[in-house]
């Protein structure tokens, strides 16, 4: 079974530039999450999708971050314009369903460095 | 507001000994708890979980204990092996919305 795919693995940009990250969850997983993990901290939820609908985006900085999951499968997270404090690893995760109390399956993450 | 806390950023243990990783939470509504393990340059992987209706769950060398009254859980690894060296995150699930809240992680080093 293929895991959660993310790209790019690494990205370096200057502040005020834009960046986009892509995630393809495990086939059949209805719930998709984007997490931000800053060095030395635990993953922080940015947005949670159930199929193509948003369940929770309360911690997404909507003035600069946006995410979509148009067909209920893969998802894109965009940052525009980037700030220095956006330097982090962006983790995508998926699970079978919103009510699943089992595990999240994480991708390898996309490491963003903002200079 | 950090609802899940791991107060020890790092832990070193001799191979063969017991590793004990601790986690505290503040929200009594959390009803499911998980431990994830993360190697460098990889995403976290699921290790073990426990429902709030239990106080212990065991899987091989890994045991998770839950003390609801103290809002505390711990992960025991016995015996510890060098391959266990990684960052361990505890996570709690809030039943409404199935949101996962992660702790800040504990970096475990098992010394051969």
């Amino acid at each position: 079974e293929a895991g959660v795919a993310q790209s790019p693995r690494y990205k370096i940009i200057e502040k005020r530039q834009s960046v986009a990250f892509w995630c393809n969850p495990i086939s059949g997983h209805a719930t998709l999450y984007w997490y931000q993990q800053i060095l030395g901290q635990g993953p922080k939820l940015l947005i949670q999708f159930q199929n193509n609908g948003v369940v929770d985006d309360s911690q997404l900085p909507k003035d600069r971050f946006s995410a979509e999951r148009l067909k209920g499968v893969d998802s894109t997270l965009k940052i525009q314009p980037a700030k220095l404090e956006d330097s982090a690893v962006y983790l995508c995760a998926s699970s079978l369903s919103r009510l699943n109390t089992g595990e999240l399956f994480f991708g390898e993450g996309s490491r963003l460095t903002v200079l | 507001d950090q609802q899940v806390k791991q107060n020890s950023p790092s832990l070193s243990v001799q191979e063969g000994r017991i590793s004990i990783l601790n986690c505290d939470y503040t929200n009594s509504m959390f009803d499911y708890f998980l431990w994830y393990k993360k190697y460098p340059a990889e995403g976290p992987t699921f290790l073990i979980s426990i429902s709030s209706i239990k106080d212990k769950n065991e899987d091989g060398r890994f045991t998770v204990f839950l003390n609801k009254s103290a809002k505390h859980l711990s992960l025991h690894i016995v015996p510890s092996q060098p391959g266990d060296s990684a960052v361990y995150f505890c996570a709690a699930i809030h039943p409404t919305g199935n949101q996962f809240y992660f702790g800040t992680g504990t970096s475990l080093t098992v010394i051969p």
Side-chain angles (χ1 to χ4, degrees), chain A residues 12-75:
Chain A
I12 301 174
I13 62 173
E14 295 187 349
K15 60 183 179 183
R16 290 188 289 274
Q17 286 187 324
S18 63
V19 63
F21 302 113
W22 173 83
C23 172
N24 190 26
I26 292 173
S27 177
H29 280 197
T31 309
L32 184 148
Y33 307 77
W34 282 101
Y35 283 87
Q36 179 193 57
Q37 186 179 10
I38 293 172
L39 187 65
Q41 299 182 19
K44 184 186 87 171
L45 179 68
L46 292 174
I47 189 166
Q48 177 183 344
F49 291 95
Q50 177 70 15
N51 295 311
N52 61 349
V54 175
V55 173
D56 181 4
D57 64 355
S58 58
Q59 298 192 79
L60 187 74
K62 298 180 187 62
D63 58 334
R64 298 183 300 106
F65 286 64
S66 64
E68 60 184 14
R69 193 185 184 198
L70 291 176
K71 297 182 179 178
V73 180
D74 55 354
S75 175

Side-chain angles (χ1 to χ4, degrees), chain B residues 68-80:
Chain B
K68 285 183 64 179
S69 60
K71 296 192 183 71
H72 176 84
L73 66 155
S74 61
L75 174 68
H76 293 211
I77 307 173
V78 182
S80 301

Side-chain angles (χ1 to χ4, degrees), chain A residues 77-99:
Chain A
L77 175 71
K78 295 180 181 177
I79 308 173
Q80 182 180 13
K83 292 186 175 181
L84 295 177
E85 59 261 35
D86 298 332
S87 295
V89 175
Y90 291 85
L91 293 163
C92 180
S94 68
S95 65
L96 273 171
S97 73
R98 179 184 172 194
L99 298 179

Side-chain angles (χ1 to χ4, degrees), chain B residues 37-77:
Chain B
K37 178 179 178 179
K38 185 181 183 304
Y39 292 116
E42 295 183 13
T45 56
F46 170 75
L47 188 60
I48 192 170
S49 63
I50 187 168
S51 165
S52 60
I53 63 173
K54 295 185 177 181
D55 56 15
K56 177 182 174 181
N57 188 28
E58 193 171 351
D59 183 3
R61 297 186 296 113
F62 303 91
T63 303
V64 56
F65 295 92
L66 175 62
N67 182 334
K68 285 183 64 179
S69 60
K71 296 192 183 71
H72 176 84
L73 66 155
S74 61
L75 174 68
H76 293 211
I77 307 173

